[in-house]
Amino acid sequence: MATSRARRALLAGATALAAAAAAVAQERPESLLPPGFSDPAPAPSAAPRTPAPVATATATGGVPMVQPLPTPGGSPSPLPSPSASPSPMPTPRYEMPASARRSLARVGASDAFASDAFGAADGAYLETLMRRLSAPLPSRWLSIALRRMLVARVDTPAGVGGADFAAERAWLLLRMGEAADARAVVQAVDTDRITPKLRQVWMQAALATADPAGLCPLADAAGNSERGWIVARAMCAGLTGNARSQPLIADVRRRRVASGVDLQLAQKVMGAGLNSRQAITIEWAPVTELTAWRFGLATATGVSIPDELYATVGAQVAGWRALAPGIPLAERAVPAEAAAAMGVISSAALVDLYSALGDADDMPAPLTRTANALRDAYAANDARARLDAMQRLWDEAETPAARYARLVLTAHAAGRLPVVDGDARADRVIASMLTAGLDRTAMRWSGHVKEGGDAWAMLLLADPDAIGQRPGGVVGTYAPEGPLAERKRQLFFAGLAGLGRLSQGDMEERASSLDVRIGAENSWTRAIDRAARERQPGTVLLLAAVGMQSGRWSGIPPAALYRVVSGLRAVGLDGEARMIAAEAIARVG
């Protein structure tokens, strides 16, 4: 009874701190997942810990016949066996020794974090945090750190199963636009240990990566509980050239399990299999929204999706599109830039994409122009010409996210520039380098940029070798420009304070003069401080994401940034803390 009350208290606490974080963030945006994408698998419900065996019903409501049919007339076999006949059993395709099976006590696909990243945190509490997060996140660097943690091979927390915990992690990765990493996490669980919850997310990950064949390992065992798995069995049969594919798809049509464009796309997938003679035409005219099913199957079969349907989905789909090999390069350029701003793809990957576009024939003129400008940013005759090429790339962007994406694109080109004294473009040069984490390269410009400007502030925050504390007057030296100058000054102070660069007295004085209530407490601040004290980097990252639930950087309270930066630094994520503090200066205004 005491344990039950404790677990209820933890869950209630998670709910309370999510509400408190929303208050800190001033406004919590609506979910970025459109209705169509949540239809196939709404936020996954927890699977029973030890489900009791039940009879499986067919899609029509009846109970399947499992007992053997009697012989006609009930007569015995004319050729009696000398001994009892063994019951027919399917022969397994593979026999894995116990040593080769993967444990559910530790699930993941990388070693980016220590296995005890969540410490003694309660699993149900962590799942609640993950499920209530709105994604993508406003911070590229926080998103990168959170992705690395979610993919890591970590110990399963107490109170939850390893498969279900992997499902929650993969579901959050999908909402962040990280489709490939979500697939890696679900596939880190052996298929005979899949739970209903993980099976739901497995389908979403396979569709987000445009990999319908990825459904096949689970299709036969999935039963008829979801229409998608019924159609998946027909698709998998078609992909392998199985003769039963046509009867299966005919049964799908007869029972109206799928119709319209959903059925057409499934038949298109079947047509990609062996010995297929199907020619399917996809009719998009009656379709009003894009779902995960339609995105995954259309992309896998090379069917172009109308632009107006992409307007009905959330921002995370840009990450799915950017990494989908079935989409032509020219159509991936815009979503790739959006994905780079979110942290889904790196600066190097974005440069590679534009390099391929520059070498291709018959590319649209705007893409060719961008590719040529990027080439000049790397290889023009002198530093001035290279910087001019970067400025052309920066000035072409029209939205805040697009402007930041162009900084990501030019990061390594900016790092190759020689130091230029007093150039007005130094703010963007420094911001560009820091999008790729080139902090030591950026520090070459220290002493050569305008004191009190954005570049000066970002270098102070990003300095990897900073030792000791700065005088409190350094906060007053920062003089940003523009309508959000006061907010940038507050964020600069919050970053310095969170990094431990100010004395306690200076922190209190500047917090009062700038009206940044870094000492205020609520359930969220207490939770992230406790996780930091207990050295739980995974929990701190989740709570940091909870505290930054805003659609834009200017909507993140400076007090929340202070807690995020100080919490990350306390658990050994100093590099991430510095980059997030500097990112705040680059992205506000």
Side-chain angles (χ1 to χ4, degrees):
M1 181 66 72
T3 300
S4 177
R5 285 197 298 269
R7 286 176 57 77
R8 287 198 298 269
L10 280 170
L11 289 174
T15 302
L17 71 88
V24 170
Q26 299 174 343
E27 57 177 276
R28 180 187 180 100
E30 296 180 0
S31 173
L32 295 174
L33 278 177
F37 274 91
S38 58
D39 285 344
S45 57
R49 302 279 171 76
T50 54
V54 294
T56 303
T58 64
T60 57
V63 178
M65 180 171 292
V66 294
Q67 63 269 35
L69 290 172
T71 58
S75 57
S77 171
L79 297 174
S81 303
S83 60
S85 300
S87 300
M89 296 291 290
T91 302
R93 296 179 64 183
Y94 303 101
E95 285 287 351
M96 294 182 64
S99 60
R101 296 175 61 81
R102 293 174 291 185
S103 172
L104 292 179
R106 182 175 296 170
V107 179
S110 79
D111 296 317
F113 273 73
S115 60
D116 61 348
F118 293 107
D122 181 75
Y125 165 77
L126 296 172
E127 286 189 346
T128 301
L129 294 180
M130 284 189 276
R131 190 174 302 182
R132 295 191 176 210
L133 275 179
S134 293
L137 302 174
S139 169
R140 166 181 164 84
W141 276 105
L142 180 58
S143 184
I144 290 171
L146 184 60
R147 176 194 68 210
R148 292 173 58 239
M149 183 274 294
L150 292 171
V151 179
R153 192 175 294 106
V154 295
D155 296 336
T156 300
V160 295
D164 284 349
F165 191 63
E168 287 291 354
R169 290 155 58 191
W171 182 242
L172 177 53
L173 285 165
L174 286 171
R175 304 198 314 270
M176 293 166 59
E178 305 281 1
D181 286 317
R183 179 176 61 182
V185 171
V186 298
Q187 291 182 349
V189 178
D190 291 340
T191 55
D192 62 342
R193 294 178 172 178
I194 300 296
T195 62
K197 183 176 178 180
L198 183 56
R199 187 165 56 241
Q200 283 184 313
V201 181
W202 185 299
M203 173 174 281
Q204 295 298 297
L207 294 172
T209 53
D211 181 21
L215 300 172
C216 298
L218 304 188
D220 286 337
N224 297 329
S225 57
E226 294 181 26
R227 292 182 300 166
W229 289 110
I230 299 174
V231 184
R233 281 195 290 276
M235 290 193 299
C236 292
L239 288 172
T240 58
N242 194 311
R244 66 191 185 103
S245 61
Q246 289 305 320
L248 285 172
I249 204 68
D251 187 55
V252 166
R253 187 183 294 106
R254 178 180 57 81
R255 293 159 54 190
R256 297 185 180 180
V257 173
S259 61
V261 72
D262 296 323
L263 181 59
Q264 293 170 4
L265 288 169
Q267 291 177 289
K268 189 81 171 177
V269 171
M270 295 172 61
L274 298 172
N275 302 320
S276 173
R277 296 180 177 86
Q278 297 187 77
I280 304 297
T281 301
I282 306 300
E283 298 289 344
W284 290 111
V287 179
T288 59
E289 66 176 359
L290 187 61
T291 64
W293 181 270
R294 293 164 187 170
F295 170 84
L297 301 193
T299 303
T301 53
V303 176
S304 181
I305 298 173
D307 289 340
E308 56 269 22
L309 289 181
Y310 279 121
T312 68
V313 301
Q316 76 282 350
V317 180
W320 303 0
R321 295 172 67 189
L323 298 177
I327 297 178
L329 281 178
E331 297 177 22
R332 289 162 56 189
V334 172
E337 290 198 20
M342 292 190 298
V344 175
I345 66 175
S346 67
S347 173
L350 193 58
V351 170
D352 287 346
L353 185 144
Y354 272 107
S355 298
L357 288 171
D359 293 336
D361 297 326
D362 300 326
M363 286 292 114
L367 295 181
T368 301
R369 185 168 58 249
T370 299
N372 290 337
L374 182 62
R375 183 179 290 110
D376 290 341
Y378 273 92
N381 292 331
D382 56 63
R384 182 67 59 184
R386 284 149 55 191
L387 190 50
D388 289 343
M390 290 183 216
Q391 183 172 0
R392 292 198 302 274
L393 291 169
W394 297 333
D395 291 344
E396 285 178 356
E398 298 178 353
T399 65
R403 286 191 287 272
Y404 191 69
R406 287 299 173 89
L407 294 177
V408 177
L409 176 63
T410 58
H412 291 278
R416 291 160 55 95
L417 286 173
V419 175
V420 180
D421 281 314
D423 195 295
R425 296 170 289 188
D427 292 347
R428 289 191 284 185
V429 171
I430 300 302
S432 181
M433 285 188 274
L434 294 180
T435 63
L438 305 177
D439 50 359
R440 295 192 181 278
T441 303
M443 291 308 298
R444 295 185 298 114
W445 290 66
S446 183
H448 299 274
V449 298
K450 177 184 174 183
E451 185 177 25
D454 284 351
W456 173 85
M458 286 184 282
L459 289 173
L460 281 181
L461 293 168
D463 187 357
D465 298 318
I467 299 176
Q469 297 171 338
R470 293 276 183 173
V474 74
V475 178
T477 304
Y478 181 40
E481 300 176 353
L484 294 174
E486 184 62 21
R487 175 48 60 92
K488 293 180 79 168
R489 193 176 292 111
Q490 292 174 328
L491 292 170
F492 176 62
F493 159 71
L496 281 177
L499 291 170
R501 307 277 176 83
L502 299 175
S503 68
Q504 187 65 33
D506 288 336
M507 284 174 56
E508 293 175 358
E509 179 184 349
R510 295 297 171 177
S512 176
S513 63
L514 292 171
D515 192 25
V516 179
R517 302 178 181 179
I518 60 176
E521 289 191 356
N522 54 41
S523 57
W524 174 74
T525 64
R526 287 189 291 272
I528 195 169
D529 289 347
R530 182 173 60 251
R533 285 194 306 271
E534 296 177 0
R535 306 289 295 175
Q536 298 175 6
T539 311
V540 167
L541 279 169
L542 282 177
L543 288 165
V546 169
M548 298 183 77
Q549 292 290 274
S550 175
R552 61 192 188 281
W553 258 99
S554 59
I556 296 174
L561 179 65
Y562 163 74
R563 297 283 181 174
V564 168
V565 171
S566 61
L568 293 175
R569 188 173 65 92
V571 294
L573 299 176
D574 180 75
E576 288 80 357
R578 290 185 290 104
M579 292 301 105
I580 291 171
E583 182 184 357
I585 304 300
R587 300 194 73 169
V588 173

